[in-house]
Amino acid sequence: MLHVLTGCATTSGSGVNVGPRSSSSFSEDMSKTAYSGPKMDVVIPVFSPGLSDKAANYEKEGVWPELRRAEANRFAYKLKKALDDTGKFGAVRVTPDKTASGDLYVLGKIVESNGLEVEFDMNVIDASGKQWLDDNIDYEVSDGFYKNPRNTDKDPYDPAFNKAAADIVKALLKQKPSELSTVKHIADLRFGASFNDKAFDEYMDTSSTPIKLKGMPSEADPLYERVKAIRVKEQLFVDNLQPNYAAFSQKMNDSYLTWQKASATELRLQKQAQNESLMKIIGGALLIAAAVAVGSNGNRNNNTLGRDMATIAGGIGGAVLVTSGITSREEAKFHQDAINELGQSLDLEMSPQVIEFDNQSTKLTGNMEQQFQQWRAFMARMYELESTPDKAL
């Protein structure tokens, strides 16, 4: 009995992964996940689709521009959802580009996406210019994912975005709360400087990176109050864009999940066909070479008709295998064409919208990035109109 009790005592720590944990291990886990610092507002610009500079390379690299541009929007939104789920950030917003105002920026670039594997680069930088993370997320979908009926309507790439969010949280927990508060001040000042650099640049040392905070204007400073009010309006505008990104991701969801599964199947079949083709061609070449060798030896030794027949049979067998290998290559080409057709079936469209603020309105047209730039120009006009500091916005 004593031996058993001693065993329990010595294995109740981290060595056993079932049953109640020791208080020390529990506290250690909590220290890794708890966060009480400033809630950073995160900007996730639409990912770079990672397209080649030369359109001629697209098909050769297995990339289809329409699909990649759609994925660039979808991936940014998927990462937003993953970060929201951590509960450790303030507002997490997808934006058309990196000019939007925020405390923390997550810049993504798609490297690979084919239904079986997804890879993207991720650079995390705060408003001061300090780099938090330079990461590469690479995830391979398990062979059994598409065979499991429980995975119906699930995105096989979700673990990649959860991993990316976890990496960003780890980077957040390494920052000092006082430094995060400074970053939030710098974000306010940089937004103000985008409208009036003379009024706000004096509070920042921009001679090097990261930017250093030299001071802050008074909370009662009318210029500062005006800029903060306009920043709230921009945040509201970007908040209003989020349902558009959500709707787009949802709209493409069924087609995209179908493409992922079909592309993964086609790639597996293509790889199988290519392997079979290679083995058949190698086997055929060896048979032909052996037949030639036997024939040459027979000629030298005046062997019987049976050996001549073996030579012919070996040659025919090798030719059949080579022909079969060519057929497998044609099959692989068929699967590649099927992927190509699937990839061309998705496209990204944005509708014009009318924006109103303070009895003024403007019509935004073009894609989301163009509309956002038009909105920034609209805000700049509003700032100029409010030339008197005490006039309400």
Side-chain angles (χ1 to χ4, degrees), residues 26-289:
F26 182 76
S27 300
E28 181 181 357
D29 287 347
M30 287 300 292
S31 70
K32 291 179 181 178
T33 58
Y35 176 71
S36 59
K39 289 295 183 78
M40 308 294 282
D41 289 339
V42 183
V43 168
I44 308 177
V46 169
F47 278 30
S48 165
L51 295 173
S52 170
D53 293 335
K54 296 181 180 179
N57 294 337
Y58 292 160
E59 187 170 353
K60 175 179 156 186
E61 296 172 357
V63 173
W64 296 274
E66 297 86 355
L67 177 59
R68 272 296 178 87
R69 293 188 182 104
E71 285 182 313
N73 285 267
R74 181 181 176 87
F75 284 15
Y77 185 72
K78 296 286 284 186
L79 183 53
K80 164 193 159 52
K81 296 296 292 179
L83 283 176
D84 279 336
D85 289 344
T86 69
K88 290 181 172 56
F89 298 92
V92 183
R93 302 177 172 99
V94 179
T95 61
D97 58 40
K98 58 185 179 182
T99 64
S101 179
D103 304 325
L104 192 64
Y105 296 80
V106 182
L107 311 178
K109 179 181 179 181
I110 302 174
V111 177
E112 181 66 88
S113 172
N114 58 25
L116 280 178
E117 183 180 12
V118 60
E119 180 182 358
F120 55 88
D121 293 329
M122 184 175 70
N123 197 8
V124 181
I125 305 171
D126 68 27
S128 74
K130 177 184 176 182
Q131 184 180 69
W132 286 21
L133 199 61
D134 185 5
D135 206 358
N136 175 267
I137 304 297
D138 188 356
Y139 178 74
E140 185 173 345
V141 181
S142 65
D143 291 340
F145 179 88
Y146 294 108
K147 297 177 183 178
N148 188 342
R150 293 186 178 183
N151 290 332
T152 303
D153 297 330
K154 289 184 179 180
D155 190 329
Y157 291 171
D158 279 346
F161 299 106
N162 292 335
K163 170 65 165 59
D167 287 353
I168 297 172
V169 168
K170 288 179 184 177
L172 171 70
L173 297 177
K174 293 178 181 178
Q175 313 303 316
K176 296 179 180 178
S178 59
E179 293 176 350
L180 295 179
S181 296
T182 297
V183 168
K184 293 182 76 68
H185 288 317
I186 290 174
D188 278 339
L189 293 172
R190 288 190 62 193
F191 183 81
S194 70
F195 292 97
N196 188 339
D197 53 0
K198 292 181 180 179
F200 297 100
D201 275 351
E202 63 177 289
Y203 297 104
M204 297 179 287
D205 179 2
T206 58
S207 61
S208 61
T209 302
I211 295 171
K212 294 180 176 59
L213 186 66
K214 295 166 62 178
M216 285 294 292
S218 165
E219 288 292 333
D221 185 323
L223 292 179
Y224 188 45
E225 287 182 336
R226 182 150 45 123
V227 163
K228 285 197 297 183
I230 293 179
R231 190 181 185 206
V232 169
K233 291 181 182 292
E234 176 180 292
Q235 291 170 339
L236 289 173
F237 174 80
V238 177
D239 284 340
N240 289 333
L241 295 182
Q242 303 313 295
N244 293 336
Y245 288 111
F248 173 75
S249 184
Q250 184 59 41
K251 182 180 178 181
M252 71 177 282
N253 195 59
D254 290 344
S255 295
Y256 187 69
L257 295 182
T258 299
W259 171 82
Q260 285 175 305
K261 183 175 181 179
S263 178
T265 301
E266 297 296 339
L267 285 170
R268 285 194 180 100
L269 291 174
Q270 183 187 59
K271 184 175 181 180
Q272 180 182 346
Q274 288 171 340
N275 290 338
E276 288 177 357
S277 172
L278 179 62
M279 293 305 295
K280 288 175 181 178
I281 289 175
I282 290 174
L286 289 174
L287 275 176
I288 292 173

